[in-house]
Amino acid sequence: MSDPTRPTGPKIIAVANQKGGVGKTTTTINLAAAFVEMGKRVLVVDLDPQGNASTGFGIALDDREFTTYELLLEDISLDRLVQNTQQDGLFIIPATVDLSSADIELISNEKRSFLLHDALRQLQMDDFALDYILIDCPPSLNLLTVNAMIAAHSVLVPLQSEFFALEGLSQLMMTIREVRQSGNTDLRIEGVVLTMYDRRNNLSQQVEQDARNTLGEVVFKTMIPRNVRVSEAPSFAMPVLSYDSQSKGAMAYRALAQEIMDNNIR
């Protein structure tokens, strides 16, 4: 059965978890690259003031004249905001530290929670013929993350295979419920993906078991292994799929992309 919340136009997925260091940006970058390998056209929206997704795609600071700050707060043409990456069919709207002040500036705007929703639904967006928009959220449940959830059709949650991993999840799920009630009734959970998974580690296996027992089918079958190639790739400003195409990390992100596509067909 097809997803009733899926509109015509690109599927918008917010990649969110208020905990830092769980593999959120890494997942955004490599999932985008995997979709593009499969023939899809993808836009990454870097909504994290740290701008790590922008750096991971090789967008130098000097080349970030127009960013997600302008996307939210200024009336600037998408042609000037959307940048090409080194991979055909993969685009990015980059971020800089300027975005960290957006939270304060948004407060006085009566449409503050819907700015990203409206920006990503401009008619001009059709010119890019996108299949997916992936939003890399900041590691907090602030107004930027709420904007992402109101703009998105679904939320993908990276969950680190470490102690306390499930603790912060209840807070995130509560935020998703609040957004459903207040601004996006169709928002659903795309899934929870276990990251930095080490099969040899009893703790990883325990976290997996706890996650599957607690969340059931919401947890993707695909798990992202702890893999040195995944860690090295950002320093070369490329996805692991380009850096080492046959690495375990690259193959895992391909499998995750395929699982998401299969889930959206059913």
Side-chain angles (χ1 to χ4, degrees):
M1 194 172 74
S2 63
D3 174 6
T5 66
R6 172 73 203 267
T8 54
K11 169 91 185 247
I12 305 175
I13 302 174
V15 183
N17 189 329
Q18 75 273 24
K19 278 191 72 163
V22 298
K24 200 160 48 279
T25 299
T26 301
T27 295
T28 303
I29 288 171
N30 289 297
L31 183 58
F35 280 143
V36 170
E37 264 194 9
M38 293 168 174
K40 305 299 180 185
R41 289 172 64 84
V42 181
L43 169 67
V44 170
V45 177
D46 191 349
L47 209 62
D48 185 347
Q50 296 173 85
N52 290 337
S54 309
T55 305
F57 281 119
I59 309 297
L61 269 175
D62 290 347
D63 295 327
R64 301 181 206 177
E65 184 181 357
F66 300 112
T67 66
T68 42
Y69 177 90
E70 282 79 18
L71 178 71
L72 290 170
L73 292 160
E74 295 183 20
D75 186 17
I76 288 181
S77 164
L78 283 170
D79 287 344
R80 302 170 81 182
L81 290 163
V82 175
Q83 295 197 25
N84 293 308
T85 67
Q86 292 170 3
Q87 204 169 351
D88 285 345
L90 207 171
F91 309 92
I92 186 166
I93 301 178
T96 64
V97 73
D98 289 353
L99 195 59
S100 56
S101 67
D103 240 26
I104 299 159
E105 294 177 53
L106 289 171
I107 299 249
S108 59
N109 190 316
E110 57 186 43
K111 291 189 73 180
R112 57 184 172 268
S113 298
F114 287 83
L115 293 172
L116 187 61
H117 172 280
D118 295 348
L120 295 181
R121 285 164 177 80
Q122 297 175 59
L123 283 175
Q124 197 189 354
M125 195 60 85
D126 294 344
D127 297 344
F128 297 96
L130 298 167
D131 297 291
Y132 290 95
I133 297 175
L134 301 183
I135 307 170
D136 187 29
C137 295
S140 58
L141 295 176
N142 60 10
L143 202 43
L144 291 173
T145 301
V146 170
N147 258 273
M149 289 184 182
I150 287 178
H153 303 116
S154 63
V155 181
L156 190 156
V157 184
L159 190 71
Q160 190 176 4
S161 304
E162 301 220 335
F163 199 58
F164 295 135
L166 286 166
E167 274 204 347
L169 211 54
S170 57
Q171 197 181 349
L172 180 65
M173 297 301 184
M174 207 179 303
T175 303
I176 292 170
R177 272 199 301 274
E178 286 169 6
V179 168
R180 274 196 192 122
Q181 288 164 8
S182 63
N184 185 356
T185 53
D186 291 330
L187 182 67
R188 66 187 192 90
I189 296 167
E190 190 69 37
V192 173
V193 59
L194 289 163
T195 60
M196 305 177 210
Y197 187 83
D198 186 348
R199 290 186 184 281
R200 300 161 302 180
N201 184 320
N202 287 338
L203 181 57
S204 280
Q205 292 179 29
Q206 185 64 53
V207 171
E208 180 196 356
Q209 193 175 344
D210 288 351
R212 295 194 190 282
N213 289 344
T214 307
L215 302 166
E217 290 188 0
V218 170
V219 183
F220 286 109
K221 294 183 180 72
T222 304
M223 296 180 287
I224 309 302
R226 189 175 286 282
N227 179 246
V228 69
R229 294 299 197 219
V230 172
S231 305
E232 288 172 354
S235 62
F236 292 89
M238 58 175 72
V240 71
L241 287 87
S242 305
Y243 177 63
D244 187 344
S245 180
Q246 296 308 308
S247 65
K248 286 182 179 176
M251 290 191 277
Y253 278 113
R254 286 189 191 100
L256 178 62
Q258 189 64 58
E259 191 173 348
I260 290 171
M261 285 167 64
D262 292 345
N263 289 348
N264 280 278
I265 291 165
R266 282 204 291 274

